Short mmCIF file of all heavy atoms in Angstrom, two decimals:
data_model
loop_
_atom_site.label_atom_id
_atom_site.label_comp_id
_atom_site.label_asym_id
_atom_site.label_seq_id
_atom_site.Cartn_x
_atom_site.Cartn_y
_atom_site.Cartn_z
N MET A 211 0.80 -1.19 0.00
CA MET A 211 0.00 0.00 0.00
C MET A 211 0.85 1.27 0.00
O MET A 211 0.33 2.35 -0.15
CB MET A 211 -0.92 0.03 1.22
CG MET A 211 -2.03 -0.94 1.14
SD MET A 211 -3.05 -0.41 -0.21
CE MET A 211 -4.61 -0.90 0.33
N LYS A 212 2.14 1.15 0.17
CA LYS A 212 3.02 2.31 0.21
C LYS A 212 3.27 2.85 -1.19
O LYS A 212 3.42 4.05 -1.38
CB LYS A 212 4.33 1.93 0.88
CG LYS A 212 5.22 3.09 1.16
CD LYS A 212 6.43 2.66 1.94
CE LYS A 212 7.27 3.84 2.32
NZ LYS A 212 8.43 3.47 3.08
N TYR A 213 3.28 2.00 -2.20
CA TYR A 213 3.60 2.44 -3.56
C TYR A 213 2.54 3.35 -4.18
O TYR A 213 2.91 4.31 -4.84
CB TYR A 213 3.87 1.23 -4.45
CG TYR A 213 5.14 0.50 -4.06
CD1 TYR A 213 5.09 -0.78 -3.55
CD2 TYR A 213 6.37 1.12 -4.21
CE1 TYR A 213 6.24 -1.44 -3.17
CE2 TYR A 213 7.52 0.46 -3.84
CZ TYR A 213 7.47 -0.82 -3.33
OH TYR A 213 8.61 -1.45 -2.96
N PRO A 214 1.24 3.11 -3.99
CA PRO A 214 0.27 4.05 -4.56
C PRO A 214 0.42 5.48 -4.00
O PRO A 214 0.26 6.44 -4.72
CB PRO A 214 -1.09 3.46 -4.20
CG PRO A 214 -0.83 2.01 -4.03
CD PRO A 214 0.57 1.92 -3.48
N ARG A 215 0.74 5.60 -2.72
CA ARG A 215 0.92 6.91 -2.13
C ARG A 215 2.13 7.62 -2.73
O ARG A 215 2.06 8.80 -3.05
CB ARG A 215 1.11 6.78 -0.62
CG ARG A 215 1.30 8.14 0.06
CD ARG A 215 1.55 8.01 1.51
NE ARG A 215 0.29 7.71 2.19
CZ ARG A 215 0.20 7.41 3.47
NH1 ARG A 215 1.27 7.35 4.21
NH2 ARG A 215 -0.96 7.17 4.00
N ILE A 216 3.22 6.90 -2.93
CA ILE A 216 4.42 7.48 -3.54
C ILE A 216 4.12 7.86 -4.99
O ILE A 216 4.51 8.94 -5.46
CB ILE A 216 5.61 6.50 -3.46
CG1 ILE A 216 6.03 6.32 -2.00
CG2 ILE A 216 6.78 7.00 -4.29
CD1 ILE A 216 7.05 5.23 -1.79
N LEU A 217 3.42 6.99 -5.71
CA LEU A 217 3.07 7.27 -7.11
C LEU A 217 2.17 8.50 -7.20
O LEU A 217 2.37 9.37 -8.05
CB LEU A 217 2.38 6.05 -7.73
CG LEU A 217 2.02 6.17 -9.19
CD1 LEU A 217 3.27 6.36 -10.03
CD2 LEU A 217 1.26 4.94 -9.65
N PHE A 218 1.18 8.60 -6.31
CA PHE A 218 0.30 9.76 -6.32
C PHE A 218 1.08 11.04 -6.04
O PHE A 218 0.89 12.07 -6.69
CB PHE A 218 -0.81 9.58 -5.28
CG PHE A 218 -1.67 10.81 -5.12
CD1 PHE A 218 -2.62 11.13 -6.07
CD2 PHE A 218 -1.49 11.66 -4.04
CE1 PHE A 218 -3.40 12.26 -5.94
CE2 PHE A 218 -2.26 12.79 -3.91
CZ PHE A 218 -3.22 13.10 -4.86
N THR A 219 1.98 11.00 -5.06
CA THR A 219 2.79 12.17 -4.72
C THR A 219 3.67 12.57 -5.89
O THR A 219 3.80 13.77 -6.20
CB THR A 219 3.66 11.87 -3.48
OG1 THR A 219 2.81 11.45 -2.41
CG2 THR A 219 4.46 13.08 -3.07
N LEU A 220 4.25 11.62 -6.57
CA LEU A 220 5.10 11.89 -7.73
C LEU A 220 4.30 12.53 -8.87
O LEU A 220 4.71 13.53 -9.45
CB LEU A 220 5.77 10.60 -8.20
CG LEU A 220 6.70 10.72 -9.40
CD1 LEU A 220 7.88 11.60 -9.06
CD2 LEU A 220 7.16 9.37 -9.86
N ILE A 221 3.13 11.97 -9.15
CA ILE A 221 2.29 12.52 -10.23
C ILE A 221 1.80 13.92 -9.86
O ILE A 221 1.83 14.84 -10.70
CB ILE A 221 1.10 11.58 -10.52
CG1 ILE A 221 1.61 10.29 -11.16
CG2 ILE A 221 0.08 12.26 -11.42
CD1 ILE A 221 0.56 9.22 -11.30
N ALA A 222 1.37 14.13 -8.64
CA ALA A 222 0.86 15.44 -8.22
C ALA A 222 1.96 16.49 -8.26
O ALA A 222 1.75 17.61 -8.75
CB ALA A 222 0.28 15.35 -6.82
N SER A 223 3.14 16.16 -7.79
CA SER A 223 4.23 17.15 -7.80
C SER A 223 4.67 17.47 -9.22
O SER A 223 4.99 18.62 -9.54
CB SER A 223 5.41 16.66 -6.97
OG SER A 223 5.96 15.49 -7.53
N THR A 224 4.66 16.49 -10.11
CA THR A 224 5.02 16.73 -11.51
C THR A 224 3.97 17.62 -12.18
O THR A 224 4.31 18.56 -12.91
CB THR A 224 5.14 15.40 -12.27
OG1 THR A 224 6.10 14.57 -11.61
CG2 THR A 224 5.57 15.64 -13.70
N ALA A 225 2.71 17.34 -11.94
CA ALA A 225 1.64 18.14 -12.55
C ALA A 225 1.66 19.57 -12.05
O ALA A 225 1.51 20.52 -12.83
CB ALA A 225 0.28 17.50 -12.27
N LEU A 226 1.86 19.76 -10.75
CA LEU A 226 1.89 21.12 -10.21
C LEU A 226 3.11 21.89 -10.69
O LEU A 226 3.02 23.09 -10.96
CB LEU A 226 1.86 21.08 -8.68
CG LEU A 226 0.54 20.61 -8.08
CD1 LEU A 226 0.68 20.48 -6.57
CD2 LEU A 226 -0.58 21.55 -8.44
N THR A 227 4.23 21.23 -10.84
CA THR A 227 5.43 21.89 -11.34
C THR A 227 5.25 22.28 -12.80
O THR A 227 5.64 23.36 -13.22
CB THR A 227 6.66 20.98 -11.18
OG1 THR A 227 6.77 20.60 -9.81
CG2 THR A 227 7.92 21.67 -11.63
N ALA A 228 4.64 21.43 -13.59
CA ALA A 228 4.42 21.71 -15.01
C ALA A 228 3.47 22.89 -15.18
O ALA A 228 3.66 23.73 -16.05
CB ALA A 228 3.88 20.48 -15.72
N CYS A 229 2.44 22.97 -14.37
CA CYS A 229 1.50 24.08 -14.47
C CYS A 229 2.15 25.39 -14.08
O CYS A 229 1.89 26.43 -14.66
CB CYS A 229 0.29 23.86 -13.57
SG CYS A 229 -0.77 22.51 -14.12
N GLY A 230 2.99 25.36 -13.09
CA GLY A 230 3.64 26.59 -12.64
C GLY A 230 4.67 27.11 -13.62
O GLY A 230 4.88 28.30 -13.75
N SER A 231 5.32 26.24 -14.35
CA SER A 231 6.37 26.69 -15.26
C SER A 231 5.81 27.16 -16.60
O SER A 231 6.51 27.82 -17.35
CB SER A 231 7.38 25.56 -15.49
OG SER A 231 6.76 24.47 -16.14
N SER A 232 4.55 26.84 -16.91
CA SER A 232 4.01 27.25 -18.20
C SER A 232 3.39 28.63 -18.17
O SER A 232 3.03 29.16 -19.21
CB SER A 232 2.97 26.23 -18.67
OG SER A 232 1.86 26.25 -17.80
N THR A 233 3.25 29.24 -16.99
CA THR A 233 2.67 30.58 -16.93
C THR A 233 3.70 31.61 -17.36
O THR A 233 4.88 31.48 -17.10
CB THR A 233 2.18 30.91 -15.51
OG1 THR A 233 3.27 30.78 -14.61
CG2 THR A 233 1.06 29.99 -15.10
N ARG A 234 3.20 32.65 -18.04
CA ARG A 234 4.07 33.69 -18.55
C ARG A 234 3.91 34.93 -17.68
O ARG A 234 2.80 35.34 -17.37
CB ARG A 234 3.69 34.00 -19.98
CG ARG A 234 4.70 34.81 -20.73
CD ARG A 234 4.28 34.98 -22.15
NE ARG A 234 3.18 35.94 -22.17
CZ ARG A 234 2.53 36.30 -23.24
NH1 ARG A 234 2.80 35.75 -24.39
NH2 ARG A 234 1.57 37.19 -23.19
N LEU A 235 5.00 35.55 -17.32
CA LEU A 235 4.95 36.75 -16.51
C LEU A 235 4.53 37.93 -17.38
O LEU A 235 4.94 38.05 -18.53
CB LEU A 235 6.31 37.03 -15.89
CG LEU A 235 6.82 35.98 -14.90
CD1 LEU A 235 8.22 36.35 -14.44
CD2 LEU A 235 5.89 35.89 -13.71
N SER A 236 3.71 38.80 -16.81
CA SER A 236 3.32 39.99 -17.55
C SER A 236 4.43 41.03 -17.46
O SER A 236 5.22 41.04 -16.52
CB SER A 236 2.01 40.55 -16.99
OG SER A 236 2.19 40.91 -15.64
N PRO A 237 4.51 41.92 -18.44
CA PRO A 237 5.55 42.95 -18.39
C PRO A 237 5.36 43.87 -17.20
O PRO A 237 4.26 44.00 -16.67
CB PRO A 237 5.39 43.70 -19.71
CG PRO A 237 4.04 43.35 -20.21
CD PRO A 237 3.68 42.02 -19.62
N ALA A 238 6.44 44.53 -16.79
CA ALA A 238 6.40 45.37 -15.60
C ALA A 238 5.49 46.58 -15.77
O ALA A 238 4.87 47.03 -14.83
CB ALA A 238 7.81 45.84 -15.27
N GLY A 239 5.37 47.11 -16.96
CA GLY A 239 4.54 48.28 -17.20
C GLY A 239 3.78 48.13 -18.50
O GLY A 239 3.79 47.08 -19.12
N PRO A 240 3.12 49.19 -18.91
CA PRO A 240 2.39 49.11 -20.19
C PRO A 240 3.36 49.00 -21.36
O PRO A 240 4.51 49.44 -21.27
CB PRO A 240 1.61 50.42 -20.22
CG PRO A 240 2.33 51.33 -19.31
CD PRO A 240 2.97 50.48 -18.27
N SER A 241 2.88 48.44 -22.44
CA SER A 241 3.74 48.28 -23.61
C SER A 241 4.04 49.64 -24.22
O SER A 241 3.26 50.59 -24.06
CB SER A 241 3.07 47.37 -24.64
OG SER A 241 2.03 48.07 -25.29
N PRO A 242 5.13 49.78 -24.94
CA PRO A 242 5.46 51.06 -25.59
C PRO A 242 4.38 51.49 -26.58
O PRO A 242 4.17 52.69 -26.77
CB PRO A 242 6.78 50.77 -26.30
CG PRO A 242 7.37 49.62 -25.57
CD PRO A 242 6.21 48.82 -25.07
N LEU A 243 3.69 50.54 -27.20
CA LEU A 243 2.62 50.88 -28.13
C LEU A 243 1.48 51.59 -27.40
O LEU A 243 0.92 52.56 -27.90
CB LEU A 243 2.10 49.60 -28.81
CG LEU A 243 1.00 49.77 -29.85
CD1 LEU A 243 1.48 50.65 -30.99
CD2 LEU A 243 0.56 48.42 -30.36
N VAL A 244 1.15 51.13 -26.21
CA VAL A 244 0.10 51.77 -25.43
C VAL A 244 0.54 53.16 -24.99
O VAL A 244 -0.21 54.13 -25.07
CB VAL A 244 -0.28 50.91 -24.21
CG1 VAL A 244 -1.23 51.65 -23.29
CG2 VAL A 244 -0.89 49.59 -24.65
N VAL A 245 1.78 53.30 -24.55
CA VAL A 245 2.28 54.60 -24.11
C VAL A 245 2.26 55.60 -25.26
O VAL A 245 1.85 56.75 -25.11
CB VAL A 245 3.70 54.46 -23.52
CG1 VAL A 245 4.30 55.82 -23.22
CG2 VAL A 245 3.66 53.60 -22.26
N ALA A 246 2.67 55.17 -26.45
CA ALA A 246 2.69 56.07 -27.61
C ALA A 246 1.29 56.43 -28.08
O ALA A 246 1.07 57.53 -28.58
CB ALA A 246 3.47 55.42 -28.75
N SER A 247 0.33 55.53 -27.92
CA SER A 247 -1.02 55.77 -28.41
C SER A 247 -1.92 56.45 -27.38
O SER A 247 -3.03 56.83 -27.70
CB SER A 247 -1.67 54.45 -28.83
OG SER A 247 -0.94 53.88 -29.88
N CYS A 248 -1.46 56.58 -26.17
CA CYS A 248 -2.28 57.15 -25.10
C CYS A 248 -1.61 58.37 -24.47
O CYS A 248 -1.19 58.34 -23.32
CB CYS A 248 -2.55 56.10 -24.02
SG CYS A 248 -3.33 54.60 -24.63
N PRO A 249 -1.50 59.48 -25.21
CA PRO A 249 -0.85 60.67 -24.65
C PRO A 249 -1.74 61.33 -23.60
O PRO A 249 -2.93 61.05 -23.48
CB PRO A 249 -0.67 61.57 -25.87
CG PRO A 249 -1.77 61.18 -26.78
CD PRO A 249 -1.96 59.71 -26.58
N GLU A 250 -1.15 62.23 -22.84
CA GLU A 250 -1.90 63.00 -21.84
C GLU A 250 -2.92 63.90 -22.54
O GLU A 250 -2.69 64.37 -23.64
CB GLU A 250 -0.93 63.86 -21.02
CG GLU A 250 0.00 63.07 -20.13
CD GLU A 250 -0.73 62.42 -18.97
OE1 GLU A 250 -1.71 63.01 -18.46
OE2 GLU A 250 -0.34 61.32 -18.59
N LEU A 251 -4.04 64.12 -21.88
CA LEU A 251 -5.06 65.01 -22.43
C LEU A 251 -4.64 66.46 -22.21
O LEU A 251 -4.00 66.80 -21.22
CB LEU A 251 -6.40 64.75 -21.75
CG LEU A 251 -7.02 63.38 -21.99
CD1 LEU A 251 -8.28 63.23 -21.15
CD2 LEU A 251 -7.34 63.20 -23.46
N THR A 252 -5.03 67.31 -23.14
CA THR A 252 -4.72 68.74 -23.04
C THR A 252 -5.91 69.48 -22.46
O THR A 252 -7.03 68.96 -22.40
CB THR A 252 -4.37 69.31 -24.42
OG1 THR A 252 -5.47 69.09 -25.30
CG2 THR A 252 -3.13 68.63 -24.98
N GLU A 253 -5.69 70.71 -22.07
CA GLU A 253 -6.73 71.56 -21.49
C GLU A 253 -7.64 72.12 -22.59
O GLU A 253 -7.25 72.21 -23.75
CB GLU A 253 -6.09 72.72 -20.73
CG GLU A 253 -5.25 72.28 -19.54
CD GLU A 253 -6.10 71.75 -18.40
OE1 GLU A 253 -7.21 72.27 -18.18
OE2 GLU A 253 -5.64 70.82 -17.74
N LEU A 254 -8.84 72.52 -22.20
CA LEU A 254 -9.75 73.21 -23.12
C LEU A 254 -9.20 74.62 -23.39
O LEU A 254 -8.79 75.31 -22.45
CB LEU A 254 -11.13 73.34 -22.50
CG LEU A 254 -12.10 72.19 -22.65
CD1 LEU A 254 -13.35 72.45 -21.82
CD2 LEU A 254 -12.47 71.97 -24.08
N PRO A 255 -9.21 75.05 -24.66
CA PRO A 255 -8.70 76.39 -24.94
C PRO A 255 -9.60 77.51 -24.41
O PRO A 255 -9.12 78.55 -24.01
CB PRO A 255 -8.60 76.44 -26.47
CG PRO A 255 -9.40 75.30 -26.97
CD PRO A 255 -9.54 74.33 -25.85
N ASP A 256 -10.92 77.28 -24.41
CA ASP A 256 -11.87 78.27 -23.87
C ASP A 256 -13.14 77.56 -23.46
O ASP A 256 -13.26 76.34 -23.57
CB ASP A 256 -12.14 79.39 -24.88
CG ASP A 256 -12.58 78.87 -26.24
OD1 ASP A 256 -13.36 77.90 -26.28
OD2 ASP A 256 -12.14 79.42 -27.27
N ASP A 257 -14.11 78.32 -22.99
CA ASP A 257 -15.34 77.74 -22.45
C ASP A 257 -16.49 77.69 -23.45
O ASP A 257 -17.63 77.50 -23.06
CB ASP A 257 -15.81 78.54 -21.22
CG ASP A 257 -14.86 78.39 -20.05
OD1 ASP A 257 -14.07 77.43 -20.05
OD2 ASP A 257 -14.91 79.23 -19.14
N THR A 258 -16.23 77.80 -24.73
CA THR A 258 -17.30 77.81 -25.71
C THR A 258 -17.79 76.39 -26.00
O THR A 258 -17.10 75.40 -25.75
CB THR A 258 -16.84 78.46 -27.02
OG1 THR A 258 -15.79 77.68 -27.58
CG2 THR A 258 -16.36 79.89 -26.79
N PHE A 259 -19.00 76.31 -26.54
CA PHE A 259 -19.59 75.02 -26.90
C PHE A 259 -18.79 74.35 -28.01
O PHE A 259 -18.61 73.13 -28.01
CB PHE A 259 -21.05 75.21 -27.33
CG PHE A 259 -21.73 73.92 -27.66
CD1 PHE A 259 -22.08 73.02 -26.67
CD2 PHE A 259 -22.00 73.59 -28.98
CE1 PHE A 259 -22.71 71.83 -26.97
CE2 PHE A 259 -22.63 72.39 -29.29
CZ PHE A 259 -22.98 71.51 -28.29
N GLY A 260 -18.27 75.13 -28.95
CA GLY A 260 -17.47 74.59 -30.04
C GLY A 260 -16.20 73.93 -29.53
O GLY A 260 -15.80 72.86 -30.00
N SER A 261 -15.54 74.56 -28.56
CA SER A 261 -14.32 73.98 -27.98
C SER A 261 -14.64 72.68 -27.25
O SER A 261 -13.88 71.71 -27.31
CB SER A 261 -13.66 74.96 -27.03
OG SER A 261 -13.14 76.05 -27.72
N THR A 262 -15.75 72.67 -26.53
CA THR A 262 -16.15 71.47 -25.80
C THR A 262 -16.46 70.33 -26.77
O THR A 262 -16.03 69.19 -26.56
CB THR A 262 -17.38 71.76 -24.92
OG1 THR A 262 -17.07 72.83 -24.05
CG2 THR A 262 -17.77 70.54 -24.11
N THR A 263 -17.16 70.63 -27.85
CA THR A 263 -17.49 69.62 -28.84
C THR A 263 -16.22 69.09 -29.51
O THR A 263 -16.06 67.87 -29.69
CB THR A 263 -18.44 70.20 -29.91
OG1 THR A 263 -19.60 70.70 -29.26
CG2 THR A 263 -18.84 69.15 -30.92
N ALA A 264 -15.30 69.98 -29.87
CA ALA A 264 -14.04 69.55 -30.49
C ALA A 264 -13.22 68.69 -29.53
O ALA A 264 -12.61 67.69 -29.93
CB ALA A 264 -13.23 70.77 -30.92
N LYS A 265 -13.22 69.06 -28.23
CA LYS A 265 -12.47 68.29 -27.23
C LYS A 265 -13.09 66.91 -27.05
O LYS A 265 -12.37 65.91 -26.93
CB LYS A 265 -12.43 69.04 -25.91
CG LYS A 265 -11.70 68.31 -24.80
CD LYS A 265 -10.29 67.87 -25.18
CE LYS A 265 -9.32 68.97 -25.02
NZ LYS A 265 -7.93 68.53 -25.25
N LEU A 266 -14.41 66.82 -27.02
CA LEU A 266 -15.06 65.52 -26.89
C LEU A 266 -14.76 64.62 -28.08
O LEU A 266 -14.53 63.42 -27.92
CB LEU A 266 -16.57 65.69 -26.72
CG LEU A 266 -17.03 66.22 -25.36
CD1 LEU A 266 -18.52 66.52 -25.38
CD2 LEU A 266 -16.68 65.25 -24.27
N THR A 267 -14.73 65.19 -29.27
CA THR A 267 -14.38 64.43 -30.46
C THR A 267 -12.94 63.94 -30.37
O THR A 267 -12.63 62.79 -30.66
CB THR A 267 -14.58 65.28 -31.73
OG1 THR A 267 -15.93 65.73 -31.77
CG2 THR A 267 -14.27 64.49 -32.98
N GLU A 268 -12.04 64.83 -29.95
CA GLU A 268 -10.62 64.47 -29.81
C GLU A 268 -10.43 63.36 -28.78
O GLU A 268 -9.70 62.39 -29.03
CB GLU A 268 -9.83 65.71 -29.37
CG GLU A 268 -8.36 65.45 -29.09
CD GLU A 268 -7.70 66.67 -28.46
OE1 GLU A 268 -8.14 67.80 -28.69
OE2 GLU A 268 -6.72 66.45 -27.72
N VAL A 269 -11.09 63.47 -27.64
CA VAL A 269 -10.96 62.46 -26.59
C VAL A 269 -11.54 61.12 -27.05
O VAL A 269 -10.97 60.06 -26.78
CB VAL A 269 -11.63 62.94 -25.29
CG1 VAL A 269 -11.74 61.82 -24.26
CG2 VAL A 269 -10.86 64.11 -24.70
N GLY A 270 -12.65 61.15 -27.77
CA GLY A 270 -13.23 59.91 -28.29
C GLY A 270 -12.30 59.21 -29.27
O GLY A 270 -12.12 57.99 -29.20
N ASN A 271 -11.71 59.98 -30.17
CA ASN A 271 -10.75 59.39 -31.12
C ASN A 271 -9.50 58.86 -30.41
O ASN A 271 -8.99 57.80 -30.74
CB ASN A 271 -10.36 60.42 -32.18
CG ASN A 271 -11.50 60.74 -33.12
OD1 ASN A 271 -12.39 59.92 -33.32
ND2 ASN A 271 -11.48 61.93 -33.68
N GLN A 272 -9.03 59.61 -29.41
CA GLN A 272 -7.86 59.18 -28.65
C GLN A 272 -8.17 57.90 -27.88
O GLN A 272 -7.34 56.99 -27.80
CB GLN A 272 -7.42 60.28 -27.70
CG GLN A 272 -6.15 59.97 -26.95
CD GLN A 272 -5.70 61.16 -26.12
OE1 GLN A 272 -6.10 62.29 -26.37
NE2 GLN A 272 -4.88 60.89 -25.14
N TYR A 273 -9.37 57.79 -27.34
CA TYR A 273 -9.77 56.57 -26.63
C TYR A 273 -9.74 55.37 -27.56
O TYR A 273 -9.23 54.31 -27.20
CB TYR A 273 -11.17 56.74 -26.03
CG TYR A 273 -11.76 55.43 -25.56
CD1 TYR A 273 -11.35 54.86 -24.36
CD2 TYR A 273 -12.70 54.75 -26.33
CE1 TYR A 273 -11.87 53.65 -23.94
CE2 TYR A 273 -13.22 53.54 -25.92
CZ TYR A 273 -12.81 53.00 -24.73
OH TYR A 273 -13.32 51.80 -24.32
N ARG A 274 -10.30 55.51 -28.75
CA ARG A 274 -10.32 54.39 -29.70
C ARG A 274 -8.91 53.96 -30.09
O ARG A 274 -8.61 52.77 -30.20
CB ARG A 274 -11.13 54.78 -30.94
CG ARG A 274 -12.61 54.80 -30.68
CD ARG A 274 -13.39 55.06 -31.96
NE ARG A 274 -14.73 55.49 -31.65
CZ ARG A 274 -15.10 56.76 -31.47
NH1 ARG A 274 -14.25 57.72 -31.63
NH2 ARG A 274 -16.34 57.04 -31.17
N THR A 275 -8.02 54.93 -30.32
CA THR A 275 -6.64 54.61 -30.67
C THR A 275 -5.94 53.92 -29.51
O THR A 275 -5.23 52.92 -29.69
CB THR A 275 -5.88 55.90 -31.04
OG1 THR A 275 -6.58 56.55 -32.10
CG2 THR A 275 -4.46 55.59 -31.48
N CYS A 276 -6.15 54.43 -28.31
CA CYS A 276 -5.51 53.85 -27.12
C CYS A 276 -6.04 52.44 -26.85
O CYS A 276 -5.28 51.53 -26.54
CB CYS A 276 -5.77 54.76 -25.93
SG CYS A 276 -4.93 54.25 -24.43
N ARG A 277 -7.33 52.26 -27.00
CA ARG A 277 -7.93 50.93 -26.77
C ARG A 277 -7.41 49.92 -27.78
O ARG A 277 -7.11 48.77 -27.43
CB ARG A 277 -9.46 51.01 -26.84
CG ARG A 277 -10.14 49.72 -26.50
CD ARG A 277 -11.67 49.91 -26.48
NE ARG A 277 -12.33 48.77 -25.93
CZ ARG A 277 -12.60 47.65 -26.60
NH1 ARG A 277 -12.25 47.54 -27.86
NH2 ARG A 277 -13.22 46.66 -26.02
N ALA A 278 -7.31 50.33 -29.02
CA ALA A 278 -6.79 49.42 -30.06
C ALA A 278 -5.35 49.03 -29.75
O ALA A 278 -4.95 47.88 -29.92
CB ALA A 278 -6.87 50.08 -31.43
N ALA A 279 -4.56 49.97 -29.26
CA ALA A 279 -3.16 49.67 -28.91
C ALA A 279 -3.10 48.75 -27.70
O ALA A 279 -2.28 47.83 -27.63
CB ALA A 279 -2.40 50.95 -28.62
N ALA A 280 -3.96 48.98 -26.72
CA ALA A 280 -3.95 48.16 -25.50
C ALA A 280 -4.38 46.73 -25.79
O ALA A 280 -3.90 45.79 -25.17
CB ALA A 280 -4.86 48.79 -24.45
N LEU A 281 -5.29 46.55 -26.74
CA LEU A 281 -5.80 45.21 -27.06
C LEU A 281 -5.08 44.56 -28.23
O LEU A 281 -5.50 43.51 -28.69
CB LEU A 281 -7.30 45.28 -27.33
CG LEU A 281 -8.17 45.75 -26.17
CD1 LEU A 281 -9.62 45.88 -26.61
CD2 LEU A 281 -8.04 44.82 -24.99
N ALA A 282 -4.00 45.17 -28.70
CA ALA A 282 -3.30 44.65 -29.87
C ALA A 282 -2.77 43.23 -29.65
O ALA A 282 -2.77 42.40 -30.55
CB ALA A 282 -2.16 45.57 -30.28
N GLY A 283 -2.34 42.91 -28.45
CA GLY A 283 -1.78 41.60 -28.17
C GLY A 283 -2.79 40.59 -27.68
O GLY A 283 -2.47 39.42 -27.48
N GLU A 284 -4.03 41.01 -27.47
CA GLU A 284 -5.07 40.12 -26.95
C GLU A 284 -5.74 39.34 -28.08
O GLU A 284 -5.84 39.80 -29.20
CB GLU A 284 -6.13 40.95 -26.22
CG GLU A 284 -5.60 41.74 -25.06
CD GLU A 284 -5.20 40.87 -23.89
OE1 GLU A 284 -5.89 39.88 -23.63
OE2 GLU A 284 -4.19 41.18 -23.24
N LYS A 285 -6.24 38.17 -27.73
CA LYS A 285 -7.02 37.36 -28.68
C LYS A 285 -8.47 37.81 -28.62
O LYS A 285 -8.99 38.13 -27.55
CB LYS A 285 -6.93 35.88 -28.34
CG LYS A 285 -5.56 35.32 -28.52
CD LYS A 285 -5.54 33.86 -28.18
CE LYS A 285 -4.13 33.29 -28.36
NZ LYS A 285 -4.07 31.90 -27.96
N ALA A 286 -9.13 37.83 -29.75
CA ALA A 286 -10.54 38.21 -29.80
C ALA A 286 -11.40 37.10 -29.19
O ALA A 286 -11.11 35.93 -29.37
CB ALA A 286 -10.97 38.48 -31.24
N PRO A 287 -12.45 37.48 -28.44
CA PRO A 287 -13.30 36.43 -27.81
C PRO A 287 -14.11 35.67 -28.82
O PRO A 287 -14.40 36.05 -29.88
CB PRO A 287 -14.20 37.22 -26.87
CG PRO A 287 -14.16 38.64 -27.32
CD PRO A 287 -12.91 38.81 -28.11
#
């Protein structure tokens, strides 16, 4: 009865070691593509409705570009 316990321990330790070594570490920070595609937002030039509309359009386009860069390495669901 001692051999099944040793065999189980051997199989379990091998399986756990194999699972742990196959994981990939994520990078320390965001990728350079994300950093380049996601610049800081600028201030509104004035308080007019036209400036606000132009800024909202700019932020929306910047969001789409940044999101595409962030998801560039991901697989589609």
Side-chain angles (χ1 to χ4, degrees):
M211 288 294 212
K212 188 175 185 179
Y213 292 113
R215 180 183 284 173
I216 292 172
L217 183 62
F218 173 77
T219 304
L220 180 64
I221 291 172
S223 64
T224 304
L226 291 175
T227 304
C229 291
S231 64
S232 66
T233 57
R234 194 176 74 183
L235 297 176
S236 61
S241 75
L243 181 61
V244 172
V245 173
S247 298
C248 303
E250 292 290 325
L251 295 175
T252 58
E253 297 289 325
L254 275 173
D256 53 40
D257 293 341
T258 63
F259 182 72
S261 292
T262 303
T263 303
K265 179 53 83 174
L266 287 173
T267 303
E268 176 189 333
V269 170
N271 291 334
Q272 185 174 340
Y273 167 77
R274 286 185 198 90
T275 304
C276 185
R277 185 175 191 278
L281 298 176
E284 300 289 323
K285 294 181 181 177

